[in-house]
Amino acid sequence: MTVPRLRGLSLRVRIASGVLAGLVVLFSLFGVLAIRTIEQSTNVALEERLRLAELAARSVDALIEHTSGQLKKAADLLAAGGDRDEVVHRAEIHELLGEFHPIVRLSQDGEVLWIEPPVTGAPGWRLADDAEIRAALGRWETSVVSPAGDLAGDRPVAVILVPLDGEAGEPAGFLAGEIRTSHAGVALISLPRAEGSVRSEIVDAAGLIVARSAPG
């Protein structure tokens, strides 16, 4: 039944049908190739972003590990020198450590004994009553803390708390320091530059942004 009908079609219709079928096959092939190309380029871009994120994360880990060791040495020196040396040398300790701003001396109960550099306009340490800080004070070990409270956009990357031993090894309080991505105009963490579709951010444990590669 179909053969007579096909034979009855004009030559023009048959040629048009053949061209249309060829175009459909050709466009389908190009569509499949385009989709595969887009998928491959997307995967390459994602792998590149992942490598950049891993490098940035390693730099943050290295900074925290290094500064934790430095703060621990400073705490040992303070414990060995006594209360008088703390007052005399606290500015020198802040300057020598370099990565922390500020450095805070806390009692065993979390009372702020001194802060360097001193805070103008508002006495004390703004994180003294933070829930995560208070929890770390009860562990009597070196802790890396992400503050829980809202700091109005001025969030440190981390806060390190190191316990101090007093005479005969009894607890004598803590030495705490806030770490940021830069200090005194010097970058401490290298984030991938914001260009094109690349945007880098450091997010704390609460999901809040503590640093970004570009404003906005």
Side-chain angles (χ1 to χ4, degrees), residues 34 49 54 86 164 206:
R49 304 296 189 273
E54 289 173 344
E86 283 192 29
L164 287 86

Side-chain angles (χ1 to χ4, degrees), residues 125-205:
W125 184 34
R126 61 177 185 157
L127 298 179
D129 295 324
D130 184 88
E132 293 296 329
I133 300 294
R134 302 301 297 186
L137 295 177
R139 293 195 285 267
W140 200 248
E141 62 185 16
T142 298
S143 301
V144 179
V145 180
S146 176
D150 183 7
L151 303 180
D154 184 21
R155 300 184 67 83
V157 173
V159 178
I160 298 177
L161 293 99
V162 175
L164 287 86
D165 294 328
E167 297 179 0
E170 76 275 9
F174 290 84
L175 192 62
E178 296 182 32
I179 302 177
R180 287 175 172 75
T181 55
S182 63
H183 178 56
V186 178
L188 303 178
I189 297 174
S190 178
L191 291 176
R193 291 189 305 170
E195 54 184 9
S197 61
V198 177
R199 181 185 180 89
S200 304
E201 296 175 343
I202 297 178
V203 182
D204 68 7

Side-chain angles (χ1 to χ4, degrees), residues 54-67 189:
E54 289 173 344
L55 289 173
R58 290 194 193 103
S59 70
V60 175
D61 289 341
L63 175 64
I64 291 176
E65 182 178 0
H66 169 72
T67 52
I189 297 174

Side-chain angles (χ1 to χ4, degrees), residues 81-138:
D83 295 340
R84 182 177 179 278
D85 282 349
E86 283 192 29
V87 177
V88 173
H89 298 298
R90 68 189 197 187
E92 297 176 5
I93 291 173
H94 173 262
E95 182 177 355
L96 289 173
L97 287 178
E99 295 91 349
F100 295 97
H101 187 80
I103 291 177
V104 185
R105 175 70 163 89
L106 301 168
S107 69
Q108 184 180 354
D109 297 328
E111 178 187 358
V112 178
L113 302 180
W114 53 259
I115 181 169
E116 189 65 40
V119 178
T120 58
W125 184 34
R126 61 177 185 157
L127 298 179
D129 295 324
D130 184 88
E132 293 296 329
I133 300 294
R134 302 301 297 186
L137 295 177

